[in-house]
Amino acid sequence: MMLSIKNIHANIEGKAILKGINLDIKAGEVHAIMGPNGSGKSTLAAVLAGREEYEVTEGTISFLDKNLLDLSIEDRARAGLFLAFQYPVEIPGVSTTNFIKAAVNEKRKYNGQEPLDALAFLKVMKEKMAMVEIDQSLLSRSINEGFSGGEKKRNEIFQMAMLEPKLAILDETDSGLDIDALRIVANGINQLRNEHRAILLITHYQRLLDYIQPDYVHVLYNGRIVKSGSKELALELEEKGYDFITDETDLTAKA
Amino acid sequence: MNEDLDMLEQSALNDYKYGFVTNIDTDTIPKGLNEGVITLISKKKNEPDWMLAWRLKAYAYWLKLEEPNWANIKHPPISYQDIIYYAAPKQKEQLSSLDEVDPELLKTFEKLGISLNEQKRLTGVAVDVVMDSVSIATSFKEQLSEIGVIFCSISEAIQKHPELVKKYLGSVVPMTDNYFAALNAAVFTDGSFCYIPKGVRCPMELSTYFRINAENSGQFERTLIIAEEGSYMSYLEGCTAPMRDENQLHAAVVELIAMEKAEIKYSTVQNWYPGDKEGNGGIYNFVTKRGICQGDYAKISWTQVETGSAITWKYPSVILKGDYSIGEFYSVAFTNHHQQADTGTKMIHLGKHTRSRIVAKGISAGQSQNSYRGLVRTAKGAINARNYSQCDSLLLGDKCGAHTFPYIEVKNKTAIIEHEATTSKIGEDQLFYCRQRGIDGEAAVALIVNGFAKEVMNQLPMEFAIEAQKLLAISMEGSVG
């Protein structure tokens, strides 16, 4: 098992957001987590990445047989956990290329590898650039500074390609993208899909799943996974809306 | 609750690597300031009468002044009678070569990374080193003199080139300019003098390294740079001081004169002892720096990286007198712990079509206060004057302060003045983003700060840029956990 989440509860500023999440993900699988706004989707991503505002009050998470909750943010990343941000931040004056090079070499160091020299790095970069259809000029600019929404998301996927994570969590990567940008980003993600890598797609809308076929779909509502199924579940949600699940859940809760 | 924020707030010991004291016999005079002391200084330096008269006039004026209090800084009153105004490492009079410099002094400067040995220097940098009140040595003097460049201590210039000194000393920063400039005029003990003749492009960087060593002393140096028509020179200065519990005063004056089509590039990496993390000790760095673009098409460019000093009070300025002349000011001021900086520039547009550019970056950490203060003035005759100012502040943690005081006085309708200012915090989001990519907190802060300061760092000459980047990294040590 690559990732095993058991009964995770998490708070922010004393408010309970996650109320007992259970989820197992194996290498090679693509899981989609869907749910209405405020259901806890992004919180789950943040807890996995180790964001410190969130306090885990109960439960365990194992990642590649390690206790994930014991690892620092950077060690989680170096061990192979990647988060594609919903809102990638701008860092003025820091070139995207240098930033990614620093990240790649930190990861190599953690895994006992020599750092890549400039030439080797450039070679890898060229390959991956083609894969995710990102332009060289974007990479010489400061990280995300003045990037369009689509460019920011493409840059996230490019970083994913460069860092070759074991587990990639994509937090609403489809949000704010027009249809062309969505296609390019989805295509990049599909290129990066393989039997060694697990992908956790967090999304509000079904439309991303038209391009990336998940193996499993889970519906998150009020801090719990209330329904799991195959990709057909996503289509059913699209058709009927979240109400058909949330009403059911609320009724069950009352009963 | 939040580790990132704690990391920013935690201000562990700042490793000041230049805080050692050199044990060397020092020739000092008693504490205190009066006409007798000034006469003694002048006599020790074997100065001509006109110089002493100038000093005494400045002293008389200074006595009438009050210490300025408009800057955004706080410090206990300075007792001017408790300062030693002259302290000189004892060594043989009149060195004929560098081999005669006290080995202890050579060792000191080697330790500071300044090699006085010309053979050992790979880069084309000539250096004048000033310890406490006197210039110890100047390298590459002969080679420079072959092309007519005069590079020596100001004391030597007073002896050997009195006509130049007389003509220009106090011409840009008059002794009556301000409290500290008047004090400096009365008691200055040494400094550097550069003269670049007409049409000469100075082939190496000229630099001065200032070192305070003696206890209870103040350093009052004076630098005078004259670039004749069509000449070019790049000048660098650096400075350090031992760690001491008491505050030491450094009140310098720098004057630059650029004639028609001449260009002076003046770079500073200021690393005076900043005091300890509780705010004890450190240098009070109260400095007046000003240049004048005397002729048409002249250019003066100031670049400063300010990381040291307990208090910095400094506004390197340009008077744009010649038509089409250009003034530039690029600054990074980093304050940590209890440091205070009130720094900026003045761009005085007098000539037609004059242009100025100000890029100031303030970075505050710990409980420090960092202010940008700048004046852009365009006179009535400054037709089509242009200024662009950009002031950015970056806050590390939430106990420090960043302030911006821009003054703009426009007396000409054709002038175009632009001012942009931003204040940002190193965001939790930025740190989290870096850490999620495997870059740890300290490296992430360094990355973000260096990115923030990049535009200014790019202005520094290569050898200096690397040193400045290291310095910034060292100064930041301990500002993150």
Side-chain angles (χ1 to χ4, degrees), chain A residues 49 51-52 73-74 77-78 81-83 85 89-94 99 103 106 144 156 159 163, chain B residues 1-4 428-430 432-441 443 447-448 450-452 454:
Chain A
R51 187 129 201 177
E52 285 148 343
I73 300 171
E74 40 274 53
R78 293 164 184 162
L81 185 149
F82 179 88
L83 172 64
F85 285 67
V89 298
E90 300 183 359
I91 308 180
V94 178
F99 176 76
E106 284 292 347
N144 296 319
E156 293 294 289
Q159 291 181 42
L163 290 165
Chain B
M1 61 141 221
N2 191 321
E3 210 177 291
D4 280 352
E428 300 292 309
D429 289 342
Q430 283 175 326
F432 179 63
Y433 191 77
C434 294
R435 296 179 69 193
Q436 208 300 306
R437 297 299 185 252
I439 300 165
D440 67 53
L447 198 74
I448 295 165
N450 271 314
F452 176 78
K454 193 170 164 190

Side-chain angles (χ1 to χ4, degrees), chain B residues 69-75 286 311-313 340-342 373:
Chain B
N69 60 5
W70 43 263
N72 188 26
I73 56 175
K74 281 189 205 113
H75 58 85
F286 299 159
I311 304 177
T312 298
W313 180 98
Q340 306 172 62
D342 192 303
R373 187 182 303 276

Side-chain angles (χ1 to χ4, degrees), chain B residues 191-359:
Chain B
S192 297
F193 177 84
C194 316
Y195 175 84
I196 318 293
K198 188 172 165 179
V200 170
R201 195 180 163 88
C202 189
M204 53 178 87
E205 312 268 354
L206 303 185
S207 74
T208 307
Y209 194 89
F210 295 100
R211 172 79 179 165
I212 293 177
N213 187 57
E215 226 168 326
N216 299 316
S217 65
Q219 192 175 56
F220 305 91
E221 91 271 1
R222 221 174 156 104
T223 295
L224 180 58
I225 297 175
I226 302 143
E228 292 285 10
E229 190 184 325
S231 67
Y232 168 85
M233 68 101 63
S234 170
Y235 180 88
L236 321 168
E237 66 172 356
C239 41
T240 56
M243 294 198 244
R244 292 226 169 79
D245 291 340
E246 86 266 20
N247 297 107
Q248 281 180 288
L249 180 62
H250 171 255
V253 170
V254 174
E255 296 176 280
L256 314 181
I257 296 122
M259 299 303 182
E260 193 180 320
K261 291 185 183 135
E263 180 176 349
I264 300 174
K265 186 172 168 60
Y266 193 106
S267 311
T268 304
V269 172
Q270 187 265 105
N271 188 24
W272 294 116
Y273 176 54
D276 66 15
K277 61 176 178 171
E278 272 86 39
N280 302 310
I283 303 293
Y284 290 167
N285 188 36
F286 299 159
V287 171
T288 307
K289 290 183 167 176
R290 194 176 303 152
I292 184 164
C293 287
Q294 188 73 43
D296 296 350
Y297 301 96
K299 180 176 175 184
I300 289 177
S301 182
W302 298 100
T303 304
Q304 59 173 26
V305 176
E306 303 280 316
T307 60
S309 298
I311 304 177
T312 298
W313 180 98
K314 162 176 166 185
Y315 315 91
S317 306
V318 184
I319 299 167
L320 297 144
K321 192 176 165 201
D323 294 345
Y324 298 95
S325 60
I326 297 171
E328 292 177 337
F329 174 73
Y330 296 96
S331 169
V332 172
F334 177 83
T335 53
N336 200 355
H337 306 305
H338 292 266
Q339 280 177 280
Q340 306 172 62
D342 192 303
T343 185
T345 184
K346 288 190 273 186
M347 291 292 173
I348 313 294
H349 293 256
L350 303 176
K352 301 182 190 85
H353 309 284
T354 45
R355 283 183 289 149
S356 63
R357 181 179 170 83
I358 298 169
V359 178

